[in-house]
Amino acid sequence: MNAIEHLIQDNTGLVYMQLHRFDLAYNEEAISYAMEALFKAAESFDKDSGVSFSTYASSCIYNGIMMYYRYQNKKRVDTISIEEHTTPNGEILLPSFSNRSRSAEDE
């Protein structure tokens, strides 16, 4: 087992600790983002930096979880159900806009 595999295996608990903070411990997609962050942390860690790996990895995992949230926000699409906006006859109701004429006071 090489050093990167060793770091990942020894610090997988950090992933689940961070996921529990956000109630995401059973969310497979969030786990994937967090594990990828741990892997990247293991690859990019500089042991001469004076920071412990667990401190560095915790920060990377947190950032990975934030990336998951950003992805979820981009993925979410607000949709309007056509069934909710039809009459009993099946006619589609369109939003109405006020057709207020402009007066001299408005200009």
Side-chain angles (χ1 to χ4, degrees):
M1 179 168 28
N2 66 25
I4 291 176
E5 290 172 347
H6 185 70
L7 284 173
I8 292 170
Q9 186 175 20
D10 287 351
N11 292 282
T12 302
L14 289 173
V15 169
Y16 290 98
M17 182 187 75
Q18 291 281 5
L19 289 166
H20 275 289
R21 289 178 55 201
F22 296 97
D23 282 337
L24 294 172
Y26 301 104
N27 183 313
E28 289 183 25
E29 197 168 359
I31 293 169
S32 177
Y33 272 80
M35 289 300 291
E36 182 178 350
L38 176 62
F39 181 76
K40 287 179 180 178
E43 285 186 324
S44 64
F45 179 65
D46 178 14
K47 63 183 175 185
D48 297 326
S49 67
V51 177
S52 71
F53 177 74
S54 61
T55 301
Y56 178 71
S58 291
S59 178
C60 293
I61 294 165
Y62 174 84
N63 290 334
I65 293 170
M66 293 301 106
M67 282 180 53
Y68 164 76
Y69 277 124
R70 283 190 294 277
Y71 173 74
Q72 290 302 310
N73 286 335
K74 284 183 182 180
K75 193 169 84 169
R76 184 179 14 198
V77 176
D78 294 331
T79 58
I80 299 173
S81 170
I82 291 185
E83 288 101 24
E84 293 175 8
H85 300 284
T86 57
T87 65
N89 298 340
E91 297 172 349
I92 296 175
L93 299 173
L94 298 175
S96 61
F97 300 97
S98 75
N99 244 351
R100 186 176 82 113
S101 62
R102 298 183 80 189
S103 65
E105 296 173 309
D106 291 341
E107 296 176 3

